[in-house]
Amino acid sequence: PLARAIVDGAEERGIDVSDPDHFENVPGHGIRATVGNSEVLVGNRKLLRDNDIDPSPAEETMERLENEGKTAMLVAYEGELVGVVADADTVKESSKQAVTALQERGVDVMMITGDNERTARAVAKQVGIDPKNVRAGVLPEDKSNAVDSIQDEGRQAMMVGDGVNDAPALAVAHVGTAIGSGTDVAIEAADVTLMRDDPLDVVKAIRISDATLQKIKQNLVWALGYNTAM
């Protein structure tokens, strides 16, 4: 969706978007492509540094965009930094309400994201997540390790995700919860699938689980009492 937004934005500005001759996804860092005979890089600071390009001239712009909760990506062309492009996931209206409802139930709400620290903290602030519960810059293969480390502390984690990168973390979590509009692999790896993409449904799922357990216990008490009386 974010790539589509960038392409749509380019086309709206009258830019001719041609297909690359070569394209490589660099997981957790960005993309590398060849357009014509020129190499183009779009990604984070590490992607550029790994290709011997200094990202520091764009640092002020990057910080400004990240403080606004946007994902800022550096663009390099033929070995030179040429600009910054930013996009943002729109925070769902019910996200803050869902986080508040979970916290009121005594649930510790955390954010695990591959995005940078500054953007992650800006989004966390919008929805009411404690900054110390934000784990940013987590590579796709490390998300499951992040969930494991939470559970190593003796806690039970409920992981909510919708992407391919979330699937391993959904599988290792005590309860993996996939968003119905997410990828097939995430849904397959999860224990619970929410039919809608409303964060409040996470709270509803927990309430239904609590009510089910209460009913089971209630039935056991009545059955034990009835059988004892008989």
Side-chain angles (χ1 to χ4, degrees), residues 49-177:
R49 291 194 190 103
D50 288 348
N51 287 272
D52 300 320
I53 302 171
D54 182 14
S56 58
E59 192 58 38
E60 186 178 333
T61 302
M62 294 281 284
E63 287 186 12
R64 175 178 57 80
L65 293 166
E66 288 166 353
N67 285 328
E68 294 171 3
K70 296 172 182 173
T71 301
M73 293 165 285
L74 296 157
V75 182
Y77 180 74
E78 292 190 327
E80 290 187 10
L81 174 66
V82 293
V84 180
V85 60
D87 53 27
D89 280 316
T90 305
V91 175
K92 297 186 188 303
E93 291 181 11
S94 59
S95 295
K96 185 174 177 59
Q97 190 179 348
V99 170
T100 302
L102 288 167
Q103 290 169 339
E104 287 174 351
R105 296 180 68 88
V107 176
D108 207 9
V109 183
M110 299 183 171
M111 177 192 290
I112 300 176
T113 176
D115 222 323
N116 67 81
E117 188 82 26
R118 199 175 286 111
T119 300
R121 287 180 177 271
V123 174
K125 186 178 179 181
Q126 288 181 49
V127 298
I129 295 175
D130 191 323
K132 72 173 185 291
N133 284 344
V134 175
R135 301 190 183 200
V138 180
L139 295 174
E141 61 270 24
D142 293 333
K143 282 191 175 181
S144 60
N145 294 336
V147 172
D148 274 333
S149 69
I150 293 168
Q151 297 186 139
D152 286 344
E153 298 168 9
R155 295 188 286 181
Q156 295 176 334
M158 179 181 186
M159 167 74 183
V160 182
D162 65 353
V164 173
N165 295 338
D166 297 325
L170 290 168
V172 301
H174 184 70
V175 178
T177 304

Side-chain angles (χ1 to χ4, degrees), residues 23-32 41-44 47 73:
F23 178 89
E24 179 190 352
N25 174 40
V26 186
H29 300 304
I31 61 165
R32 176 185 289 107
L41 298 171
V42 183
N44 58 19
L47 178 70
M73 293 165 285

Side-chain angles (χ1 to χ4, degrees), residues 1-13 85-89:
L2 301 180
R4 183 73 256 171
I6 291 173
V7 173
D8 288 346
E11 290 175 344
E12 286 171 9
R13 291 163 174 77
V85 60
D87 53 27
D89 280 316

Side-chain angles (χ1 to χ4, degrees), residues 219-230:
N219 288 345
L220 285 171
V221 169
W222 278 106
L224 181 62
Y226 175 83
N227 289 331
T228 302
M230 289 300 103

